[in-house]
Amino acid sequence: MGTTSMASRVFLLLLIILSSTNLSLSLYEDQVGLMDWHQQYIGKVKGAVFHTQKSGRRRVVVSTEENVIASLDLRHGEIFWRHVLGSNDVIDGIDIALGKYVITLSSGGGILRAWNLPDGQMVWESFLEGSGASKSLLTVPTNLKVDKDNLILVFGKGSLHAISSIDGEVLWKKEIAPESVQVQQIIQPLGSDIIYVLGFFGSSQFDAYKINARNGELLKHNSATFSGGFSGEALVVSSEILVTLDSTRSKLVIISFQDGEINYQQTHISDIFGDSFGTPVLLPSKLPGVFSVKIDGAVVFIRVTGEGKLEVLDKINNVAAISDAISLSEGQQAFALIQHGDGKIHLTVKPSHDLSGDLLKESIEMDNQRGTVHKIFINNYIRTDRSHGFRALIVMEDHSLLLLQQGAIVWSREDGLASIVDVVTSELPVEKEGVSVAKVEQNLFEWLKGHILKLKGTLMLASAEDVAAIQEMRLKSFEKSKMTRDHNGFRKLLIVLTRAGKLFALHTGYGQVVWSLLLPTLRRSETLGRCGKSSDAPGVLSIVDAYTGKEINSMAAIHSIAQVIPLPFTDSTEQRLHLLIDVNQHGHLYPRTSEAIDIFQRELTNIYWYSVEADNGIKGHVLKSNCIQEVIDNYCFESKDIWSIVFPSDSERIIATVTRKLSEVVHTQAKAIADEDVMFKYISKNLLFVATVAPKGSGPIGTATPEESWLTVYLIDTVTGRILHRMTHHGSQGPVHAVFSENWVVYHYFNLRAHRYEMSVIEIYDQSRADNKDVWKLVLGKHNLTSPISSYSRPEVVTKSQSYFFTYSVKALAVTLTAKGITSKQVLIGTIGDQVLALDKRFLDPRRSVNPTTAEKEEGIIPLTDSLPIIPQSYVTHALKVEGLRGIMTVPAKLESTTLAFAYGVDLFFTQLAPSRTYDSLTDDFSYALLLITIVALIAAIFVTWILSEKKELREKWR
């Protein structure tokens, strides 16, 4: 028996090893990145400063339209460090001071910061106060030394500030804006203690302030009127000359302010350019003694002579962008310009004193999907032969960032992905049958090699090289990156649209770009999908093949687009029908095919929609008949209003609306509760959640008292306009974020009385089916569960609600979706810290009580607390951040336990979630080799035990 016991212990030990390998619920460090990926971006660059000193790393510091400050490696384009300032802290200017500080001005000239150049740590921060809004200007002297008396000049909020470069102390302040002067430029001549503040008073007066740089004393103030008026901004030509256009844009006006004395000289545009038909535009390029004018598609460079005369230096066609001038040596400067032609971009660097010569002329092949060049920044370096070399940082139309050097693209960044405005998913193509024997053998070899390495790792026999190989195999799994569908539905395409009008298809495996398309129709529109800024401007449509990224069809300058309604119908090609609503509430069917119109006509009477009106109301609409127009259009339909709800503007304002996702699957309408009772969910895709606040509570938090603000929420049937539920939260205000799923809605708001954020839940149940609780009726089929539900029949509904305190402000809310709707739900919360928190829906159960009964505990009801828990392990983003988080999208996988989640902002994050654990599959790192060893060991143990048992039985018989 001793041997048998030993064999049993071996058997149990192997089971324990196997069990402990697969029942672990924690996420180890080496597992991060297996089911998720994280990508960091910065957005469209609007300012850049190079730092290429011999000591230290060569880098470029940039500011972007997403309010990001970042230091990029000039070798590879990687991010050394970055800071995302937030949507309310817009960056106005950036520069480098003392060779070691990055200086940034933001918040309309209200905040000046210094960052340590090597690591990005903040050195100091100054808050600049002023009397009102104005243009923001930052001036960092190039000859700045490590001295408290050397100043950084900032004009913002109507005042000129002098700030110490060492510690950020405001040394003096001079108010300018109270005199209603629109300051255009701040000039401090090199080596001078005089500062000139220049601007316009009204539309026809120029003002010049002469200020002592040491103490801010106003030395002189001159002004002079100009009868022709001014059209806009003025450009600096030299330390004593500005140039601008008159109000008719027919004359160039040279403004000289030597020693504060103001003189005007004007020149007709026709005297310089001849008979031109375009409108001249001054280009904001900083060239010494020279300015540039764009007219009729060409750029003309003009020098201002000492007598204020204008001299045309050169005229260049098809110029896309011009850089500021940079210093090469003592008294010598150069600038760069970009031209397009023959599918290439042509980079030319010219000396500022002689535009007829070229310091550099290169042509680079460029992907036409990047569009045109919007900005260029240049930097010079000394080659081995002591000549000057140049590198150019260019910003493209699609917001991508590229570094050019020696006629080639050194690196590129797809920073357009920092400005995603919409996301949809698409399935990958089905894998074709038939695989070569060589491929099978290769895959089998890789499979065996991988599992042998995993086995060595499990038995702790792996070397450092083996561990590295295991990690590389995990992160470069062939299965995850395949361009075909998988049986679990994990591999999909994320089709994202960026603010630049570019489509990207991202593979869910590792986030790689499968294809990209800069939509020609959107390139020509001023706003996405619209040919103008007004709501009634004609819209544009583009139909793109999701597999290849090719534009199949496009329609420009069609009717206006107020709403896009995806219909639950598809044609024989599996193309979904869409109804586009214009500003006149006419419906337009797409695709415009005979098959589509036949399908649509059969369902015409069942199509309803609603619109949120600008006058604080909601209307319901239904289609009536074809549009009556001069040209017959069978795909255009008129509509009529069937109901309307108008909220009194003196007490309520709509701040949020949300509906259920049309693609959501509900597994069952019945919900079993304690004491063997059943409640039936009120399931309707026509329900609309509406949140309104009192007018005084519509501003930022803290602008209203608890008595002045209240939040009211509604559940409205959008077919009939019937209000099914109404509830008021007194002393509360927005912003409101909400998510609607099945029969419940969760929303987040601020409680002014408690000075805390709250989350509330409303669940709605159908009482008309309450008599179906009899089991025998269900067995015999004598129930009304299959009877059709009509919005026109008055529903018998009951609601349950509960509110909880929540720690954080919220940026976005979403809910997990699964293929059959069986798996438990999780609410995904995008926190103010730019992380995504998964909160079990059970915590938001309105039936929670302080002391749940035994039956409620068995059901899974959690005891009531006043606050929702923040469990660190519930952050699906782990320790990562999705900077500038704007939205969260979820989509079900084919595997019922799993949902796919995608969070986007300045960064992107994708992951697989299993709210109820992966109960229907094995994990990716499951050790098949260990399982095989276990089975072999069990068989051997059984065989050994059988032999020992036979021998023992034989010995017993011989006794």
Side-chain angles (χ1 to χ4, degrees):
M1 289 299 291
T3 307
T4 305
S5 300
M6 183 179 67
S8 300
R9 284 197 295 270
V10 171
F11 171 74
L12 289 173
L13 179 62
L14 288 169
L15 280 182
I16 290 170
I17 292 173
L18 183 63
S19 300
S20 64
T21 303
N22 297 293
L23 294 180
S24 174
L25 303 178
S26 301
L27 187 68
Y28 293 100
E29 184 179 0
D30 64 344
Q31 291 177 308
V32 175
L34 296 181
M35 295 184 295
D36 54 57
W37 46 263
H38 180 235
Q39 297 177 354
Q40 293 182 316
Y41 297 100
I42 58 175
K44 184 181 181 181
V45 171
K46 62 180 182 180
V49 185
F50 289 89
H51 185 265
T52 55
Q53 295 181 359
K54 292 182 179 179
S55 60
R57 294 177 173 177
R58 295 180 178 178
R59 65 184 74 208
V60 58
V61 182
V62 299
S63 63
T64 75
E65 292 182 356
E66 301 298 327
N67 301 325
V68 176
I69 305 160
S71 175
L72 305 179
D73 181 10
L74 274 180
R75 295 182 181 274
H76 309 291
E78 297 171 349
I79 299 174
F80 281 139
W81 56 261
R82 66 170 183 166
H83 296 285
V84 182
L85 300 187
S87 58
N88 297 324
D89 198 3
V90 178
I91 301 172
D92 305 308
I94 186 171
D95 210 333
I96 292 180
L98 306 177
K100 62 179 181 178
Y101 294 158
V102 177
I103 307 297
T104 60
L105 179 66
S106 60
S107 293
I111 304 176
L112 187 72
R113 299 181 178 95
W115 314 85
N116 193 31
L117 181 60
D119 57 13
Q121 295 295 317
M122 186 187 296
V123 180
W124 50 258
E125 181 179 44
S126 295
F127 293 90
L128 310 178
E129 298 179 352
S131 57
S134 66
K135 185 176 181 179
S136 302
L137 300 172
L138 171 66
T139 301
V140 179
T142 54
N143 62 335
L144 201 61
K145 297 180 181 179
V146 184
D147 188 344
K148 191 178 181 69
D149 294 333
N150 286 303
L151 308 177
I152 297 173
L153 301 177
V154 171
F155 181 81
K157 296 187 178 296
S159 300
L160 178 65
H161 302 80
I163 296 99
S164 168
S165 60
I166 302 300
D167 55 11
E169 179 186 354
V170 179
L171 301 180
W172 55 259
K173 170 186 172 183
K174 178 66 179 176
E175 290 192 0
I176 305 291
E179 302 175 17
S180 301
V181 174
Q182 300 174 3
V183 173
Q184 298 294 317
Q185 298 290 344
I186 300 173
I187 299 177
Q188 183 179 15
L190 189 63
S192 173
D193 288 334
I194 302 299
I195 300 170
Y196 292 101
V197 179
L198 312 170
F200 298 130
F201 180 84
S203 60
S204 59
Q205 178 177 309
F206 181 78
D207 284 63
Y209 296 82
K210 185 178 179 181
I211 298 174
N212 188 331
R214 294 188 177 274
N215 54 24
E217 178 188 357
L218 179 61
L219 302 176
K220 195 173 185 180
H221 172 209
N222 284 19
S223 63
T225 59
F226 180 69
S227 58
F230 304 109
S231 64
E233 294 191 354
L235 302 181
V236 175
V237 178
S238 68
S239 60
E240 298 175 344
I241 295 177
L242 295 183
V243 63
T244 186
L245 290 166
D246 72 342
S247 58
T248 63
R249 290 186 173 269
S250 61
K251 297 177 183 178
L252 283 170
V253 183
I254 305 301
I255 307 173
S256 61
F257 50 91
Q258 188 171 7
D259 197 29
E261 299 296 329
I262 302 171
N263 293 298
Y264 298 119
Q265 287 181 287
Q266 51 185 315
T267 305
H268 281 275
I269 294 291
S270 58
D271 294 343
I272 302 174
F273 305 108
D275 295 329
S276 60
F277 301 97
T279 301
V281 177
L282 293 177
L283 299 180
S285 53
K286 298 177 182 178
L287 307 177
V290 178
F291 67 94
S292 54
V293 180
K294 189 170 186 177
I295 187 168
D296 292 337
V299 173
V300 181
F301 294 91
I302 303 172
R303 174 180 288 135
V304 182
T305 63
E307 299 78 22
K309 302 297 183 182
L310 302 184
E311 176 188 352
V312 176
L313 299 179
D314 201 355
K315 180 179 180 180
I316 305 175
N317 294 317
N318 302 319
V319 174
I322 303 173
S323 76
D324 291 341
I326 61 170
S327 296
L328 300 182
S329 57
E330 190 71 29
Q332 185 180 7
Q333 294 185 323
F335 71 96
L337 57 88
I338 290 282
Q339 296 170 281
H340 289 275
D342 302 325
K344 299 179 180 180
I345 61 171
H346 306 285
L347 171 64
T348 305
V349 179
K350 292 177 174 289
S352 299
H353 64 279
D354 181 15
L355 270 66
S356 61
D358 294 333
L359 298 175
L360 178 72
K361 200 171 183 65
E362 295 175 343
S363 296
I364 300 101
E365 293 282 349
M366 185 61 62
D367 181 6
N368 59 5
Q369 294 302 326
R370 295 192 182 277
T372 58
V373 177
H374 277 194
K375 287 181 181 292
I376 177 173
F377 308 91
I378 64 166
N379 173 246
N380 71 299
Y381 60 94
I382 304 299
R383 297 192 180 107
T384 54
D385 60 358
R386 310 306 298 170
S387 64
H388 288 287
F390 298 90
R391 54 175 71 93
L393 189 73
I394 61 172
V395 183
M396 303 299 294
E397 182 182 354
D398 67 343
H399 298 184
S400 59
L401 186 66
L402 296 85
L403 184 72
L404 310 180
Q405 189 173 338
Q406 296 180 354
I409 299 173
V410 180
W411 51 258
S412 64
R413 294 178 51 88
E414 294 290 355
D415 284 303
L417 289 169
S419 58
I420 292 175
V421 296
D422 202 5
V423 186
V424 296
T425 58
S426 173
E427 296 290 346
L428 285 162
V430 178
E431 187 172 8
K432 295 181 180 179
E433 295 182 359
V435 184
S436 66
V437 175
K439 189 172 182 179
V440 171
E441 291 175 349
Q442 181 185 359
N443 291 344
L444 181 61
F445 173 76
E446 293 293 332
W447 184 87
L448 290 172
K449 178 182 176 182
H451 282 289
I452 290 171
L453 286 173
K454 285 183 182 180
L455 177 61
K456 290 174 70 176
T458 304
L459 299 177
M460 292 181 288
L461 300 175
S463 62
E465 292 78 8
D466 292 336
V467 172
I470 292 171
Q471 280 294 93
E472 185 178 0
M473 290 180 65
R474 283 178 173 177
L475 294 176
K476 294 185 178 180
S477 169
F478 176 71
E479 287 297 319
K480 287 187 66 175
S481 59
K482 285 178 68 174
M483 290 302 301
T484 55
R485 299 181 194 181
D486 61 314
H487 64 280
N488 288 330
F490 295 160
R491 293 197 298 264
K492 295 181 185 293
L493 288 180
L494 297 169
I495 312 296
V496 302
L497 175 64
T498 68
R499 195 179 299 130
K502 188 171 185 178
L503 280 176
F504 288 88
L506 306 178
H507 196 292
T508 56
Y510 295 106
Q512 68 268 32
V513 176
V514 177
W515 55 259
S516 61
L517 175 65
L518 186 61
L519 294 168
T521 49
L522 294 186
R523 290 178 67 186
R524 293 190 292 269
S525 63
E526 295 184 28
T527 57
L528 283 186
R530 203 175 278 154
C531 292
K533 294 182 179 179
S534 62
S535 60
D536 59 349
V540 294
L541 289 178
S542 182
I543 301 172
V544 179
D545 188 329
Y547 289 171
T548 63
K550 304 295 183 184
E551 189 174 41
I552 300 172
N553 191 16
S554 64
M555 289 163 275
I558 59 170
H559 52 80
S560 60
I561 302 175
Q563 281 181 271
V564 179
I565 303 174
L567 301 174
F569 322 120
T570 56
D571 59 17
S572 58
T573 64
E574 296 186 2
Q575 185 172 348
R576 183 176 292 277
L577 275 60
H578 286 78
L579 188 66
L580 273 59
I581 310 299
D582 62 23
V583 293
N584 299 316
Q585 293 301 324
H586 290 167
H588 302 265
L589 178 66
Y590 291 90
R592 299 169 69 89
T593 62
S594 57
E595 182 185 6
I597 195 67
D598 289 342
I599 298 171
F600 186 75
Q601 290 284 7
R602 290 196 297 268
E603 302 291 343
L604 185 65
T605 57
N606 294 324
I607 296 175
Y608 301 82
W609 77 94
Y610 71 93
S611 60
V612 179
E613 304 296 318
D615 57 355
N616 207 39
I618 301 176
K619 290 184 179 180
H621 312 278
V622 67
L623 294 175
K624 189 170 57 174
S625 59
N626 284 103
C627 299
I628 301 174
Q629 299 174 337
E630 295 181 3
V631 180
I632 298 175
D633 187 354
N634 293 326
Y635 302 95
C636 177
F637 298 86
E638 292 186 342
S639 66
K640 64 178 180 180
D641 299 342
I642 54 174
W643 59 265
S644 66
I645 299 174
V646 179
F647 299 98
S649 58
D650 59 341
S651 62
E652 294 184 67
R653 289 184 183 175
I654 300 173
I655 59 169
T657 60
V658 68
T659 59
R660 277 183 58 203
K661 276 192 175 183
L662 294 176
S663 59
E664 184 183 27
V665 177
V666 179
H667 175 62
T668 178
Q669 187 182 358
K671 179 178 180 179
I673 60 177
D675 301 322
E676 299 182 355
D677 199 358
V678 178
M679 297 185 72
F680 293 91
K681 304 172 186 176
Y682 185 81
I683 304 297
S684 173
K685 293 183 179 180
N686 301 319
L687 276 185
L688 171 68
F689 170 82
V690 179
T692 67
V693 293
K696 290 187 177 180
S698 59
I701 294 173
T703 56
T705 64
E707 292 73 24
E708 293 174 329
S709 183
W710 54 87
L711 171 69
T712 307
V713 297
Y714 299 84
L715 292 179
I716 301 172
D717 189 302
T718 57
V719 173
T720 62
R722 185 178 292 118
I723 297 176
L724 301 181
H725 180 68
R726 179 182 183 273
M727 183 168 64
T728 301
H729 300 272
H730 294 283
S732 298
Q733 71 172 114
V736 172
H737 296 274
V739 62
F740 207 141
S741 177
E742 293 190 350
N743 68 319
W744 53 266
V745 60
V746 169
Y747 53 100
H748 177 277
Y749 55 93
F750 188 76
N751 187 325
L752 289 168
R753 297 185 188 277
H755 301 286
R756 298 178 69 178
Y757 289 100
E758 283 188 358
M759 290 185 74
S760 293
V761 58
I762 301 173
E763 291 186 356
I764 182 168
Y765 292 93
D766 189 353
Q767 285 293 92
S768 64
R769 300 171 185 265
D771 58 349
N772 294 312
K773 299 176 183 178
D774 191 334
V775 177
W776 288 108
K777 282 187 177 182
L778 295 173
V779 172
L780 298 174
K782 294 181 179 181
H783 55 77
N784 63 348
L785 290 180
T786 58
S787 60
I789 298 175
S790 173
S791 292
Y792 285 102
S793 61
R794 181 172 293 276
E796 300 175 28
V797 298
V798 62
T799 60
K800 295 181 181 293
S801 60
Q802 184 66 271
S803 297
Y804 306 90
F805 290 124
F806 188 69
T807 305
Y808 298 128
S809 173
V810 164
K811 288 187 172 184
L813 285 180
V815 64
T816 55
L817 303 175
T818 54
K820 303 296 181 183
I822 300 172
T823 304
S824 301
K825 299 281 188 181
Q826 284 183 337
V827 177
L828 302 182
I829 304 171
T831 67
I832 192 65
D834 291 323
Q835 291 185 292
V836 179
L837 176 71
L839 184 65
D840 196 319
K841 171 59 176 63
R842 293 185 303 159
F843 288 110
L844 288 160
D845 192 329
R847 296 171 51 239
R848 288 178 64 185
S849 60
V850 177
N851 296 307
T853 64
T854 304
E856 288 176 335
K857 289 180 180 178
E858 292 176 355
E859 184 190 341
I861 298 293
I862 300 172
L864 179 64
T865 56
D866 62 349
S867 300
L868 294 172
I870 305 295
I871 304 171
Q873 292 82 0
S874 296
Y875 282 102
V876 301
T877 46
H878 319 304
L880 304 172
K881 283 188 176 183
V882 185
E883 295 283 4
L885 178 65
R886 288 191 299 272
I888 304 170
M889 187 202 70
T890 59
V891 61
K894 290 182 181 178
L895 206 62
E896 170 56 29
S897 65
T898 308
T899 185
L900 309 179
F902 177 62
Y904 58 92
V906 176
D907 295 345
L908 308 181
F909 180 82
F910 175 85
T911 189
Q912 299 174 14
L913 300 177
S916 300
R917 307 295 182 184
T918 51
Y919 55 83
D920 52 359
S921 66
L922 297 172
T923 58
D924 288 342
D925 57 350
F926 182 84
S927 179
Y928 293 93
L930 185 58
L931 175 63
L932 182 61
I933 291 173
T934 304
I935 294 172
V936 171
L938 289 175
I939 294 173
I942 293 170
F943 184 71
V944 170
T945 305
W946 177 75
I947 293 175
L948 294 175
S949 177
E950 287 292 322
K951 288 183 177 180
K952 182 180 178 182
E953 186 178 349
L954 183 60
R955 286 196 301 269
E956 291 291 336
K957 288 181 179 180
W958 278 103
R959 288 182 181 178

